[in-house]
């Protein structure tokens, strides 16, 4: 059983300025729940009990969110708001959550390197803190990754099918399908943001990974790229040349909260599922559409 996960959440979130100047982008709400809470809940439903968050300057709100607030709990209890009291207590009970500071922002790979001591000799999952993935089945995506690892004992990365005209936005997998398994691939390498004609596939890295501790050695061997950053994809490319790695195509939907348009789309999609919001929101959208 995979019991540890790492959630990198140290970036500035410049696409959301000025909102992200003092508020971590991972704490921006999808309706009434911070984005990063959805990520932690996915990990917890996948059997993970120990989470390390890699945070940076201005991210203290993440620590406070996952800690208990005794004053707020007392206020809610005094007002008889039992449902809200239960909801906020549950947040601090999702997993054992630890924090480490990335003092210099030198890329995603550099952030993951901060987990080396905490992870030790165990395999572990990496979940990006600004990406929500909903599985079409009852099994969370991270649990599906863990099942592949438990069978093969090799690193696994989640892949998402993207339209061919959008492959230039992503790291794209080069590989071949495993015979008899429609959603599993043997990874040969990765191409970062290729042109549509040069792309080896339309399967993009989708923000969920399961690694053995070997990844830290590859990260240390990875030379810094643009802006002096150590990229996780570059280390994975080195790893794929020397050992077996798998790619799991997700049967579900990925919500990338890293840009404003997708953030707004995600809020609308999640709000339309809420019984308390959906009827009024649908009526508003219909009226709004008449004016466009």
């Amino acid at each position: 059983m995979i019991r540890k996960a790492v959630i990198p959440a140290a970036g500035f979130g410049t696409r959301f300025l000025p909102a992200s100047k003092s508020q971590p982008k991972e704490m921006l709400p999808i309706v009434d729940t911070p984005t990063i809470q959805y990520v932690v809940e996915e990990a917890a439903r996948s059997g993970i009990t120990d989470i390390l968050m890699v945070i940076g300057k201005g991210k203290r709100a993440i620590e406070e969110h996952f800690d208990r607030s005794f004053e707020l709990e007392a206020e809610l209890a005094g007002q008889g708001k039992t449902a809200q009291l239960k909801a906020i207590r549950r947040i601090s009970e999702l997993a054992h959550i630890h924090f480490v500071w990335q003092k210099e922002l030198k890329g995603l790979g550099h952030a993951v390197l901060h987990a080396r001591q905490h992870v030790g000799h165990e395999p572990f999952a990496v979940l990006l803190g600004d990406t929500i993935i909903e599985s079409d089945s009852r099994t969370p995506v991270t649990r599906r990754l863990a099942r592949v690892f438990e069978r093969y004992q090799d690193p696994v990365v989640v892949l998402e099918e993207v339209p061919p005209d959008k492959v230039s936005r992503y790291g794209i997998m080069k590989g071949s399908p495993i015979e008899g398994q429609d959603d599993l691939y043997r990874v040969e390498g990765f191409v970062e943001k290729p042109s549509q004609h040069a792309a080896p596939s339309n399967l993009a890295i989708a923000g969920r990974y399961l690694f053995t501790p070997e990844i830290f050695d590859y990260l240390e061997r990875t030379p810094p790229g643009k802006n002096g950053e150590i990229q996780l994809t570059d280390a994975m490319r080195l790893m794929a040349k020397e050992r077996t790695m798998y790619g799991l195509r997700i049967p579900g939907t990925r919500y990338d909260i890293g840009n404003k348009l997708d953030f707004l789309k995600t809020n609308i999609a999640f709000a339309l599922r809420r019984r308390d919001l959906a009827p009024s929101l649908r009526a508003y959208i219909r009226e709004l559409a008449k004016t466009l």
Side-chain angles (χ1 to χ4, degrees):
M1 177 69 74
I2 307 301
R3 69 185 191 94
K4 289 186 176 181
V6 176
I7 301 179
F12 285 124
T14 53
R15 294 180 183 177
F16 283 95
L17 286 171
S20 57
K21 180 177 181 291
S22 59
Q23 173 82 346
K25 68 173 181 178
E26 296 86 0
M27 286 296 295
L28 294 175
I30 305 303
V31 185
D32 55 8
T33 301
T35 299
I36 199 168
Q37 184 176 324
Y38 287 100
V39 179
V40 171
E41 288 175 347
E42 178 193 327
R45 292 198 315 274
S46 300
I48 287 168
T49 57
D50 188 301
I51 296 173
L52 179 71
M53 293 192 183
V54 184
I55 60 174
K57 184 175 176 57
K59 304 283 184 166
R60 186 71 70 181
I62 298 176
E63 289 186 86
E64 293 179 355
H65 180 71
F66 289 100
D67 195 6
R68 289 190 66 178
S69 174
F70 294 101
E71 296 84 357
L72 178 57
E73 289 179 19
E75 180 71 16
L76 293 173
Q79 296 179 15
K81 297 182 177 180
T82 54
Q84 291 170 302
L85 176 60
K86 182 179 179 181
I88 67 161
R89 279 183 176 168
R90 173 180 167 273
I91 294 170
S92 62
E93 298 168 352
L94 288 168
H96 298 292
I97 300 178
H98 316 269
F99 298 87
V100 64
W101 287 75
Q102 185 183 14
K103 296 178 181 178
E104 295 181 85
L105 302 186
K106 295 183 178 180
L108 178 58
H110 183 254
V112 173
L113 261 174
H114 280 65
R116 185 168 205 161
Q117 184 175 357
H118 186 84
V119 166
H121 300 291
E122 297 183 45
F124 65 101
V126 175
L127 300 85
L128 298 191
D130 60 358
T131 302
I132 299 172
I133 300 182
E134 290 193 322
S135 175
D136 285 347
S137 68
R138 293 184 178 181
T139 306
V141 169
T142 298
R143 182 66 193 127
R144 288 174 60 89
L145 273 183
R147 287 177 178 174
V148 174
F149 178 84
E150 288 160 7
R151 178 174 180 180
Y152 295 100
Q153 297 295 300
D154 290 305
V156 197
V157 58
V158 165
L159 303 170
E160 175 193 21
E161 267 191 87
V162 298
D165 61 342
K166 294 184 178 179
V167 293
S168 60
R169 303 181 185 180
Y170 303 97
I172 301 297
M173 183 210 69
K174 178 182 179 182
S176 55
I178 302 297
E179 186 175 352
Q181 300 194 52
D182 295 337
D183 57 355
L184 194 62
Y185 296 79
R186 169 72 182 268
V187 174
E188 298 170 14
F190 298 94
V191 180
E192 189 65 28
K193 299 180 179 180
S195 67
Q196 181 174 343
H197 301 294
S201 71
N202 68 330
L203 294 172
I205 301 171
R208 298 290 186 272
Y209 316 79
L210 207 154
F211 293 120
T212 60
E214 293 170 279
I215 188 63
F216 299 121
D217 297 326
Y218 287 100
L219 285 166
E220 289 188 336
R221 289 167 48 190
T222 301
K226 185 178 179 182
N227 299 323
E229 295 184 346
I230 299 173
Q231 296 301 340
L232 182 59
T233 302
D234 292 340
M236 291 166 59
R237 189 182 296 115
L238 288 175
M239 178 183 275
K241 290 179 180 178
E242 298 180 1
R243 66 157 299 161
T244 302
M245 180 183 293
Y246 293 98
L248 177 67
R249 178 167 52 84
I250 59 169
T253 304
R254 180 177 68 91
Y255 299 93
D256 182 359
I257 317 301
N259 66 81
K260 296 171 188 175
L261 180 58
D262 285 339
F263 173 74
L264 293 171
K265 288 180 178 179
T266 303
N267 265 284
I268 293 171
F270 278 56
L272 287 173
R273 303 174 190 174
R274 295 266 299 255
R275 292 182 179 180
D276 59 332
L277 298 174
S280 297
L281 181 57
R282 286 196 182 95
Y284 172 74
I285 291 173
R286 292 191 192 100
E287 290 300 314
L288 186 63
K290 295 176 183 178
T291 66
L292 300 178

